[in-house]
């Protein structure tokens, strides 16, 4: 049961963080999420990005974004 709560909280936190990033950088949220989904899965439509990241894991997601030059490691 504890893991389910962690899983659910991740799926709530990820879109909020992404939305905050878009607002701060004046980026259209819908377009940003579409780019992220394509970089992660190779397709335009699919499940919510937060679900994709949760299922793939953060490390794999970051690697896929790096490979698509959409993520800059700091």
């Amino acid at each position: 049961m504890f893991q389910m709560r962690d899983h659910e909280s991740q799926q709530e936190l990820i879109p909020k963080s992404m939305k905050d990033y878009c607002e701060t950088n004046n980026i259209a949220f819908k377009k940003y999420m579409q780019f992220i989904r394509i970089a992660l899965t190779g397709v335009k439509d699919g499940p919510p990005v937060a679900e994709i990241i949760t299922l793939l894991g953060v490390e794999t997601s970051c690697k896929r974004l790096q490979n698509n030059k959409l993520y800059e490691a700091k």
Side-chain angles (χ1 to χ4, degrees):
M1 205 62 164
F2 181 73
Q3 289 178 332
M4 180 61 82
R5 288 188 193 139
D6 286 345
H7 179 77
E8 289 174 355
S9 64
Q10 274 187 328
Q11 287 191 11
E12 293 170 7
L13 183 61
I14 292 168
K16 182 186 178 340
S17 298
M18 291 179 156
K19 187 170 247 176
D20 290 346
Y21 175 82
C22 288
E23 288 175 4
T24 300
N25 293 285
N26 198 27
I27 299 170
F29 182 69
K30 184 176 178 178
K31 293 276 186 189
Y32 178 74
M33 296 302 271
Q34 190 174 54
F35 285 123
I36 298 297
R37 182 180 290 108
I38 291 168
L40 293 173
T41 66
V43 295
K44 181 179 170 185
D45 298 313
V49 171
E51 187 175 325
I52 295 167
I53 293 171
T54 301
L55 292 171
L56 291 175
V58 173
E59 186 175 332
T60 299
S61 298
C62 288
K63 284 180 183 177
R64 289 187 182 190
L65 294 173
Q66 284 175 323
N67 290 338
N68 286 288
K69 297 183 171 107
L70 293 174
Y71 171 84
E72 185 177 321
K74 295 182 180 184

